[in-house]
Amino acid sequence: MHMIPKILVFAGSIRSGAYSGKTADIAQHELAKQGADVTRISLADYPLPIMDEDLEAEKGIPENAYKLARLFAAHDAVLICTPEYNGSMPPLLKNTIDWVSRISQDGGKPLKPYSGRAVGICSSSDGHFAGIRSANHLRAVLAHIQMEVIAPQVSVPNGAEAFDEDGNFVAERLSKGMQRLCRSLIEHARLLSTRVEI
């Protein structure tokens, strides 16, 4: 009996109709179809101030950063779908990653939200570069914080034409790529599981 991996899915944009959100929807369905227990969140529900060490010294780490850190720790793997802003990841996503990285303890107990956890990346953009630059920057940041970034990646070009009216990918190549990414993430989730029961 294989354990059912718990996978956290979110987009790096909170704009309604964002391509990254639509990509995250597809990932959520595909992971569930392949047998994962999926938690889908929106970063809109975890607003955080801009990372500021003076603010941290004065007021401590915001509660929403702790909530996110606990969510990361309670899952075997994470899937992040990022848009591309000026050739990189959006500030919302980077700020979220930075705040959560400040956390190593929760109520006196060690908490490791990132270390050794499997993570997959999707990207999307309006143009034909498909958010590849954003994905590359995100990959570097996730590797730096000791996450295990899996190799398969789904990058969605020309976002306005990429989805049909049911919200699926128009291109079969992207659907196949998503199946492959989800399969790999589930395998890695099972191998690397360090989740904390909450």
Side-chain angles (χ1 to χ4, degrees), residues 121-189:
I121 297 172
C122 297
S123 67
S124 53
S125 78
D126 258 334
H128 61 276
F129 286 122
I132 299 262
R133 293 165 298 195
S134 174
N136 286 345
H137 288 180
L138 178 56
R139 185 173 286 271
V141 169
L142 297 175
H144 183 82
I145 57 176
Q146 313 278 298
M147 292 193 86
E148 299 289 339
V149 193
I150 65 167
Q153 180 177 306
V154 173
S155 295
V156 183
N158 308 315
E161 294 92 56
F163 306 91
D164 67 20
E165 58 275 11
D166 296 325
N168 299 309
F169 288 133
V170 173
E172 197 190 350
R173 165 183 80 74
L174 290 175
S175 301
K176 287 217 164 96
M178 185 63 87
Q179 287 165 10
R180 193 164 54 241
L181 183 150
C182 291
R183 199 158 46 239
S184 178
L185 189 59
I186 286 171
E187 280 168 16
H188 282 80

Side-chain angles (χ1 to χ4, degrees), residues 95-136:
N95 191 54
T96 300
I97 291 169
D98 290 347
W99 266 121
V100 174
S101 76
R102 308 294 291 175
I103 295 170
S104 60
Q105 286 209 323
D106 183 15
K109 289 201 210 84
L111 181 65
K112 290 193 166 146
Y114 295 141
S115 185
R117 209 167 306 286
V119 60
I121 297 172
C122 297
S123 67
S124 53
S125 78
D126 258 334
H128 61 276
F129 286 122
I132 299 262
R133 293 165 298 195
S134 174
N136 286 345

Side-chain angles (χ1 to χ4, degrees), residues 19-30:
Y19 308 134
S20 56
K22 290 181 174 183
T23 305
D25 290 342
I26 294 173
Q28 179 182 358
H29 291 138
E30 184 57 39

Side-chain angles (χ1 to χ4, degrees), residues 51-93:
M51 176 69 218
D52 171 352
E53 289 184 25
D54 289 341
L55 178 77
E56 184 185 345
E58 190 188 325
K59 294 190 174 162
I61 295 168
E63 183 55 29
N64 278 337
Y66 277 104
K67 285 182 180 167
L68 285 163
R70 290 175 199 130
L71 267 174
F72 272 75
H75 288 79
D76 301 305
V78 182
L79 181 61
I80 303 173
C81 300
T82 182
E84 182 166 294
Y85 290 11
N86 294 321
S88 189
M89 75 188 90
L92 169 69
L93 180 54

